[in-house]
Amino acid sequence: KAWLAWQAPLFFGGIICSLVSFGWQFVLHPNHALRVHNHLELAYMGLRYVLWHLAFGHLGLLSSLRLYAFYVAVGGTYIFTNFAVSHTHKDVVPPTKHISWALYSANHTTNCSDSPFVNWWMAYLNFQIEHHLFPSMPQYNHPKIAPRVRALFEKHGVEYDVRPYLECFRVTYVNLLAVGNPEHSYHEHTH
């Protein structure tokens, strides 16, 4: 389990995110499409690689593959980092504790502060609490309902966790370090 000690720097350094992205693209997603007999989706997956080859094949196979790996590393790091900052530092629910989806969404999700840059950078998914409560709502509407959700939580004594993006990034990184290094004092700095 020595690799766990390196999960934080490898996660934010793109290595873990790239591995997950490749696994998702080439194993999980195709296997799911095969299992549910979604042949149209499989065709679109294949079309993606054909179009990539048409666009970048003139660079040569190795250069085209390197460019694709770089593209996946950047995209995967962006997606998984923005996912992690809203979820990863929160406590895990013990298997014996059963709570409602609304309370789970509140207690195990963090919103990143509402600002024009963060809203753009995270495509309004910085409103993760609202996203979990209303998953089919268009994301750009989350800022409109956030004050009502916050008021409802306050009325019922439920925490509505909002932090600046960089603070979410910091506590996520420290939590990944703490999980990978349980004997270290990182545990004192996660919340």
Side-chain angles (χ1 to χ4, degrees), residues 53-115:
H53 178 71
L54 290 174
F56 301 106
H58 69 278
L59 299 173
L61 181 62
L62 191 56
S63 293
S64 178
L65 291 174
R66 281 188 193 134
L67 183 60
Y68 189 79
F70 177 73
Y71 154 76
V72 169
V74 170
T77 300
Y78 168 77
I79 290 168
F80 291 118
T81 296
N82 282 332
F83 173 81
V85 297
S86 296
H87 300 87
T88 309
H89 61 279
K90 302 298 271 187
D91 291 335
V92 176
V93 179
T96 56
K97 185 175 182 181
H98 301 284
I99 60 174
S100 70
W101 180 246
L103 283 176
Y104 183 86
S105 296
N107 296 329
H108 301 284
T109 310
T110 298
N111 282 2
C112 296
S113 295
D114 178 11
S115 74

Side-chain angles (χ1 to χ4, degrees), residues 6-182:
W6 288 93
Q7 72 177 340
L10 293 177
F11 183 88
F12 289 111
I15 295 171
I16 290 177
C17 293
S18 297
L19 291 173
V20 171
S21 295
F22 275 106
W24 201 303
Q25 286 182 38
F26 296 112
V27 179
L28 295 175
H29 195 185
N31 283 345
H32 177 267
L34 284 168
R35 189 173 56 250
V36 299
H37 304 288
N38 191 341
H39 302 290
L40 180 61
E41 193 163 347
L42 286 167
Y44 280 125
M45 286 180 216
L47 180 62
R48 174 185 185 170
Y49 304 115
V50 168
L51 292 174
W52 183 271
H53 178 71
L54 290 174
F56 301 106
H58 69 278
L59 299 173
L61 181 62
L62 191 56
S63 293
S64 178
L65 291 174
R66 281 188 193 134
L67 183 60
Y68 189 79
F70 177 73
Y71 154 76
V72 169
V74 170
T77 300
Y78 168 77
I79 290 168
F80 291 118
T81 296
N82 282 332
F83 173 81
V85 297
S86 296
H87 300 87
T88 309
H89 61 279
K90 302 298 271 187
D91 291 335
V92 176
V93 179
T96 56
K97 185 175 182 181
H98 301 284
I99 60 174
S100 70
W101 180 246
L103 283 176
Y104 183 86
S105 296
N107 296 329
H108 301 284
T109 310
T110 298
N111 282 2
C112 296
S113 295
D114 178 11
S115 74
F117 176 76
V118 174
N119 292 348
W120 169 78
W121 178 248
M122 295 186 72
Y124 291 103
L125 285 175
N126 48 318
F127 294 90
Q128 272 299 298
I129 295 169
E130 289 74 16
H131 173 64
H132 282 209
L133 292 173
F134 305 100
S136 62
M137 177 182 283
Q139 294 157 208
Y140 59 83
N141 285 327
H142 292 157
K144 296 174 187 172
I145 65 163
R148 294 178 71 185
V149 172
R150 179 180 231 155
L152 180 68
F153 282 18
E154 288 174 2
K155 177 181 175 182
H156 294 282
V158 176
E159 177 190 22
Y160 186 86
D161 188 9
V162 181
R163 304 176 194 205
Y165 182 83
L166 292 177
E167 174 61 12
C168 289
F169 192 94
R170 183 194 71 77
V171 296
T172 299
Y173 186 85
V174 170
N175 183 61
L176 289 171
L177 283 173
V179 169
N181 300 279

